[in-house]
Amino acid sequence: MSNTPTEITLSARQLSRRFGSRTVIRNISLELRRGEVLGLLGHNGAGKSTTLQMLTGCLLPDDTETGKGYIEICGINLLHKPMQAKSHIGYLPETPPLYRELNVDDYLIFAARLRGMETNIADALGRAKQRCGLTTVGKKIIGTLSKGYQQRVGIAQAIIHNPDVIVLDEPTVGLDPAQIREVRTLIRELGNSHSVILSTHLLSEVESVCDRVEILHRGTLVFSGTTAELDRHGGEAGRLEENFIRMTEQHETEVQP
Amino acid sequence: MIHLIALRELRSLTVMPSTWFVFAVLQFVFAWFFLNALQSFLDFQPQLAQIENAPGVTVILASPMFNMVALLMMMLVPLFTMRLIAEERRNQTIALLLSSPLCSRHIILGKFLGLLIFLIALTAIVPLMLYTLAPGTNLDHGLILGNCIGLLLLTASYVALGLYISALTAQPIIAAIGTIAVLLGLWLADIGTSAPDSFWHQTSPLHHFQNFNSGLLDSSDALFFVLFSGIFLLLAMRRINNNRRYG
């Protein structure tokens, strides 16, 4: 957590998203720098996954025609040049996108090629497997692996092409404590050389791996700052959880008619 | 990128035991039908020898065989197309494709070609079996080629339709039932209409296959298949794009 953030790798401005008449994301703007781990914190249904889907090009923000909402990945407009921009992204959705009938090696090679890698795939495969602790299961069918290993394969597919921006949607959900610790260590390690944005509803996760945190509540950003700032928010240090709950409750009362 | 998706599709098909089971059963069915037809031909050969301009072995064997395969494809193709997009949605693997540097064209054409190549391999035994007769008789190569082209175009149109319907849902079984319903509906509307110039004949892929089946290469039939496949592939691409727009 001692990196000096420099280059902006992800920049999103005024993102909004409606599903029918329901607005789930309202004017969200955020930035991510190289060497930074950003935590998107919020209760269930706050709009974290929808935000990440927009940041990875899986979902279009509203108002793209008017130019109001835009996303840039390493300076490339995701909405205008999606092919170039997406090659800089590694994405692990809430449910790892695994082809369960394939073995780990074949799947990871496919994921690397899909992201435009043509050379050094064997090296990238070895590196990703080594980082995610998959060296012994390369020939195993994904469907036969435990939940923890499947999650690791999901992370490996997101990092195999060495992307500038890694987007992880609740990467530790469903894992046992030992696996959670391993995945958090990996995320922290990834954050040293890449930009990582992860969504979570666990404060402990934010505390242990994130440099910066954005709190999302009912589709609106209600806090943006470092974890230390969140900890000190409202003048009371060491009360991360209380500050988080107070902030979301305060926003709740503000949006209530 | 299209070839990458196609190869992945083929790879997924070939590692599933169910695929090999279906493959084996169909090879058995094709072989059984071929041997039956061959036996019938041998039984009737003395009578055929007395008829002037009697139909040859190719007409008696190849046409009914290809017609049977065409009918089987109507039931078989939906079983393979059902999972193309619907299963990606259900397993949420579609997020991998949507977040990768691919456009909807790559995804749809890759899946289309992947399955089409598999189905070509599945039905390749039919002309191969017919050509086992070549050392003992003169085969009508034109008729066999016409049927092969017709079957390829017919299969492509079925795959395109099935792919589109698969893109509409997250439930593979709904996609299969939907595709079978549409294909059966078009076929029943075709055979249930007696007027020769009826609109329903023109909308049925099987009707357009009949000319190929009798060895006649008609460009309007080929154009129908190209248009039919093209329209459903474009609609499927549009559906993938809408996935980004509407979620």
Side-chain angles (χ1 to χ4, degrees):
Chain A
M1 293 183 213
S2 57
N3 283 335
T4 311
T6 48
E7 179 199 349
I8 293 174
T9 49
L10 185 150
S11 172
R13 287 275 171 275
Q14 292 186 295
L15 301 182
S16 296
R17 180 70 212 193
R18 286 184 299 274
F19 287 114
S21 58
R22 196 166 57 93
T23 303
V24 292
I25 300 295
R26 295 161 211 269
N27 273 326
I28 282 183
S29 298
L30 49 89
E31 268 182 4
L32 186 61
R33 290 169 189 274
R34 189 174 295 282
E36 186 178 48
V37 180
L38 171 66
L40 205 56
L41 185 66
H43 294 298
N44 289 330
K48 303 186 295 292
S49 294
T50 307
T51 305
L52 296 188
Q53 282 175 11
M54 286 195 284
L55 295 178
T56 52
C58 292
L59 199 61
L60 285 176
D62 292 336
D63 304 323
T64 47
E65 291 87 357
T66 59
K68 194 181 159 199
Y70 84 87
I71 301 164
E72 274 188 4
I73 309 289
C74 298
I76 305 163
N77 192 314
L78 177 69
L79 307 171
H80 294 157
K81 293 178 178 173
M83 304 272 277
Q84 285 109 306
K86 283 179 183 178
S87 59
H88 295 278
I89 301 173
Y91 176 41
L92 171 70
E94 202 171 348
T95 307
L98 306 175
Y99 293 106
R100 299 168 61 84
E101 66 278 7
L102 298 184
N103 72 36
V104 173
D105 284 353
D106 286 346
Y107 171 73
L108 292 178
I109 290 169
F110 170 69
R113 290 200 171 130
L114 207 55
R115 270 66 172 266
M117 276 191 89
E118 283 166 9
T119 54
N120 301 327
I121 292 178
D123 291 344
L125 174 70
R127 204 168 42 244
K129 276 165 55 181
Q130 196 255 327
R131 286 182 113 171
C132 299
L134 294 167
T135 43
T136 55
V137 296
K139 296 292 170 204
K140 287 201 171 169
I141 302 294
I142 294 173
T144 64
L145 297 176
S146 67
K147 166 95 181 152
Y149 269 103
Q150 289 189 3
Q151 192 73 3
R152 289 180 200 204
V153 178
I155 296 174
Q157 64 78 26
I159 65 170
I160 190 164
H161 56 302
N162 202 24
D164 293 299
V165 179
I166 300 169
V167 181
L168 307 170
D169 194 353
E170 307 214 2
T172 57
V173 75
L175 301 182
D176 66 39
Q179 290 168 335
I180 287 174
R181 198 171 55 209
E182 282 173 26
V183 169
R184 283 179 183 171
T185 307
L186 175 64
I187 293 169
R188 195 52 259 169
E189 196 187 307
L190 291 170
N192 293 332
S193 48
H194 306 74
S195 305
V196 181
I197 177 166
L198 67 94
S199 80
T200 182
H201 55 266
L202 304 173
L203 278 160
S204 58
E205 196 144 290
V206 168
E207 240 182 329
S208 59
V209 296
C210 298
D211 301 306
R212 216 150 52 75
V213 58
E214 309 258 1
I215 296 180
L216 203 56
H217 185 250
R218 287 195 168 204
T220 308
L221 276 182
V222 294
F223 175 83
S224 179
T226 62
T227 44
E229 283 167 349
L230 174 63
D231 194 35
R232 291 193 302 269
H233 195 80
E236 291 176 276
R239 300 213 169 168
L240 205 63
E241 196 172 338
E242 282 89 341
N243 287 342
F244 168 61
I245 293 169
R246 197 179 57 243
M247 237 178 286
T248 52
E249 282 176 352
Q250 193 181 336
H251 181 253
E252 189 78 33
T253 51
E254 281 170 13
V255 295
Q256 290 289 343
Chain B
M1 285 298 177
I2 293 172
H3 76 280
L4 198 61
I5 303 283
L7 285 174
R8 211 283 302 159
E9 218 36 71
L10 275 171
R11 177 103 188 144
S12 283
L13 277 168
T14 52
V15 296
M16 286 192 290
S18 56
T19 306
W20 292 108
F21 177 73
V22 172
F23 201 98
V25 168
L26 282 170
Q27 303 310 301
F28 176 78
V29 169
F30 294 158
W32 181 80
F33 193 88
F34 172 73
L35 291 173
N36 246 359
L38 186 62
Q39 186 60 52
S40 304
F41 174 77
L42 293 173
D43 291 345
F44 284 101
Q45 203 178 21
Q47 286 135 293
L48 286 170
Q50 293 165 12
I51 303 171
E52 202 177 329
N53 287 329
V57 64
T58 322
V59 173
I60 291 176
L61 254 73
S63 292
M65 266 210 84
F66 277 101
N67 208 17
M68 182 268 298
V69 176
L71 275 171
L72 262 180
M73 281 292 159
M74 196 161 57
M75 297 293 159
L76 193 70
V77 171
L79 298 180
F80 287 105
T81 56
M82 67 176 183
R83 37 175 299 283
L84 288 177
I85 305 287
E87 199 168 77
E88 298 261 10
R89 273 188 215 284
R90 193 179 59 171
N91 297 342
Q92 299 184 30
T93 45
I94 198 156
L96 177 66
L97 303 179
L98 294 180
S99 64
S100 297
L102 297 173
C103 59
S104 55
R105 180 170 51 92
H106 296 133
I107 299 172
I108 294 300
L109 290 182
K111 286 182 171 287
F112 172 75
L113 289 175
L115 183 56
L116 196 57
I117 289 166
F118 172 77
L119 292 170
I120 289 170
L122 185 76
T123 51
I125 196 170
V126 177
L128 289 176
M129 282 190 301
L130 290 167
Y131 272 101
T132 57
L133 303 175
T137 184
N138 288 324
L139 290 172
D140 183 345
H141 302 294
L143 182 69
I144 295 175
L145 182 68
N147 270 289
C148 287
I149 294 170
L151 187 63
L152 174 68
L153 290 170
L154 180 79
T155 308
S157 66
Y158 286 174
V159 173
L161 174 73
L163 184 54
Y164 170 61
I165 294 177
S166 181
L168 294 177
T169 174
Q171 298 301 326
I173 195 72
I174 304 285
I177 293 169
T179 310
I180 289 174
V182 173
L183 290 177
L184 264 181
L186 289 173
W187 181 53
L188 291 174
D190 171 35
I191 60 170
T193 309
S194 52
D197 55 349
S198 169
F199 163 79
W200 293 111
H201 294 313
Q202 300 311 314
T203 58
S204 168
L206 261 179
H207 175 81
H208 289 274
F209 174 71
Q210 292 315 310
N211 277 338
F212 287 101
N213 193 225
S214 53
L216 187 67
L217 289 178
D218 188 334
S219 58
S220 66
D221 292 320
L223 186 67
F224 166 83
F225 285 122
V226 171
L227 283 176
F228 189 94
S229 305
I231 287 169
F232 283 110
L233 289 176
L234 284 173
L235 285 171
M237 288 175 205
R238 194 180 155 81
R239 183 65 192 91
I240 294 290
N241 287 334
N242 284 347
N243 211 83
R244 290 191 172 105
R245 196 171 293 275
Y246 303 114

